[in-house]
Amino acid sequence: MLISEYIKINTSLLLSDKIDERESQAIVRFLIEDSLQINRIDFSTYQLNKNEIDMLNKGIKRLKNNEPLQYITQKTYFYGLEFEVNSAVLIPRPETEELVHQVLKDFDIKKKQFIHKENQIFLEVGTGSGCISIALAKHLPYCHFVAIDISAKALEVAKKNAKKNDISNIEFIEMDFLNEKLYSNYSQLKNINYLISNPPYIRETEKVDMNKNVLDYEPHLALFVAENNPLIFYKALANFFITKMKTKNGLLYAEINQYLANETKALFESFGITNCIVFDDLQDNPRFIKATQRQMEKRE
Ligand code: GLN
């Protein structure tokens, strides 16, 4: 069978109310390209043999069961870099690229003052696949990164991704950031200048709006928070920012729940973080919060 015929048949199999023809075809094409390592240019002339068809059919079956393509091919792209992913980590989202972009924009402005200053240290809380720290490290080679996660399996993936992208200025630590008592065990946490995180922030009640490919396959540990304490990670981040940062001109960047933007800002303010702004993602949802300590410094 010609690849072009295979695409036609299987594109129709994946159609649903969430996946239109164009997306379905793109998914089948990616699957073929990745599984068989065949260039798209050859799709119209390449004859698939039985083994190849069997192999592709296995992938199609997984896709029909709503498994994300990225878990099947075990790879994705984030901020122009390739990342390995499996079900231990969230598939990096485009919004999170926007967060990285914002940090890099801010640092570009600051470059002149930073360039000769070594040992500027970022702490990333809940690194998952490592995408945020790795993308930042690629562009900020003069900074150092400490990336923590509670999941040993996620850290295995993150470490592989750092290696794959030739990044050596990230130290990965397995720890529970919500357990403040542990902080003193890690001397690395004493020298943090910048804090960044895309923590779990989805409430159980928001599950109704979520797709099966997310709900059935992505790690719930990385996605969900208790209904009665949805800002638990932001409390810990605010607490760390106020009490544990090395400098008084630190920065905090976090991805947030769009439905809790006002609450998140109010929470930060209740911790005495007076200089914080919420900003939108490209879908115009309030998706990020950025805080600086500068204003507090002025008052001192
Ligand atoms: N934005 C992600 C989603 O919609 C969730 C990321 C998170 O919980 N930190 O699936």
Side-chain angles (χ1 to χ4, degrees):
M1 186 193 293
L2 279 172
I3 289 189
S4 50
E5 289 174 66
Y6 187 89
I7 292 173
K8 219 172 179 178
I9 297 165
N10 286 281
T11 295
S12 62
L13 292 182
L14 297 182
L15 294 176
S16 72
D17 52 344
K18 297 273 190 322
I19 303 178
D20 65 11
E21 168 116 17
R22 205 176 53 92
E23 193 181 349
S24 169
Q25 190 176 112
I27 292 172
V28 178
R29 283 172 173 275
F30 267 116
L31 180 75
I32 298 171
E33 208 171 25
D34 189 80
S35 319
L36 306 180
Q37 298 294 309
I38 294 172
N39 199 304
R40 275 162 197 243
I41 297 167
D42 302 319
F43 275 13
S44 55
T45 52
Y46 191 95
Q47 286 283 353
L48 294 166
N49 65 34
K50 181 163 180 328
N51 281 349
E52 289 168 334
I53 293 177
D54 285 350
M55 186 174 169
L56 292 175
N57 284 349
K58 281 190 192 132
I60 295 286
K61 194 168 165 208
R62 290 169 72 179
L63 287 167
K64 277 175 71 185
N65 282 330
N66 301 304
E67 186 166 349
L69 174 71
Q70 294 92 329
Y71 287 157
I72 298 171
T73 61
Q74 301 205 329
K75 73 157 106 95
T76 192
Y77 298 89
F78 181 86
Y79 216 77
L81 302 172
E82 193 180 299
F83 286 83
E84 180 177 319
V85 287
N86 62 32
S87 57
V89 299
L90 270 195
I91 297 164
R93 306 289 201 264
E95 303 87 275
T96 311
E97 288 183 317
E98 294 174 44
L99 180 67
V100 166
H101 193 64
Q102 182 63 47
V103 176
L104 292 176
K105 256 173 41 191
D106 292 351
F107 273 66
D108 202 44
I109 296 164
K110 288 166 173 284
K111 212 184 229 156
K112 285 193 188 74
Q113 83 193 62
F114 282 149
I115 204 96
H116 301 297
K117 230 173 162 188
E118 296 296 317
N119 300 327
Q120 294 289 304
I121 307 180
F122 276 85
L123 171 63
E124 187 196 357
V125 175
T127 192
S129 64
C131 65
I132 294 178
S133 287
I134 291 168
L136 288 175
K138 196 82 186 169
H139 293 272
L140 302 172
Y142 48 90
C143 289
H144 184 78
F145 294 79
V146 176
I148 65 179
D149 205 288
I150 194 169
S151 160
K153 285 209 166 107
L155 287 171
E156 264 173 45
V157 177
K159 283 177 194 166
K160 274 196 210 162
N161 282 326
K163 207 163 170 199
K164 192 182 172 102
N165 286 294
D166 291 322
I167 298 295
S168 54
N169 50 338
I170 306 178
E171 183 175 359
F172 293 99
I173 302 177
E174 182 186 337
M175 91 171 255
D176 176 8
F177 188 68
L178 296 180
N179 188 351
E180 196 186 338
K181 288 194 202 105
L182 298 176
Y183 296 175
S184 57
N185 297 348
Y186 297 94
S187 57
Q188 299 92 326
L189 299 187
K190 294 195 173 73
N191 297 311
I192 304 301
N193 309 91
Y194 312 110
L195 193 53
I196 187 157
S197 184
N198 173 22
Y201 57 66
I202 303 174
R203 292 165 294 177
E204 292 285 318
T205 41
E206 293 169 44
K207 272 187 180 170
V208 284
D209 300 324
M210 292 172 74
N211 290 345
K212 274 177 89 61
N213 59 334
V214 179
L215 277 178
D216 293 353
Y217 291 94
E218 298 205 72
H220 286 201
L221 185 65
L223 287 169
F224 295 107
V225 281
E227 197 68 35
N228 60 359
N229 198 4
L231 299 180
I232 185 165
F233 284 95
Y234 301 91
K235 278 180 201 156
L237 288 165
N239 174 48
F240 191 96
F241 193 61
I242 286 296
T243 63
K244 303 279 188 289
M245 300 284 277
K246 188 185 179 195
T247 40
K248 278 273 176 279
N249 56 353
L251 293 168
L252 188 171
Y253 295 88
E255 190 171 313
I256 61 172
N257 184 324
Q258 67 190 91
Y259 308 113
L260 297 172
N262 292 338
E263 289 85 345
T264 310
K265 188 165 190 267
L267 172 85
F268 275 23
E269 284 164 354
S270 76
F271 272 83
I273 306 172
T274 49
N275 204 5
C276 60
I277 51 160
V278 166
F279 55 101
D280 290 353
D281 62 19
L282 291 174
Q283 264 75 47
D284 294 328
N285 294 315
R287 176 67 63 208
F288 313 104
I289 195 159
K290 171 180 159 183
T292 72
Q293 295 176 318
R294 248 176 282 132
Q295 201 166 308
M296 299 188 312
E297 204 181 32
K298 263 188 230 154
R299 278 199 265 115
E300 278 170 5

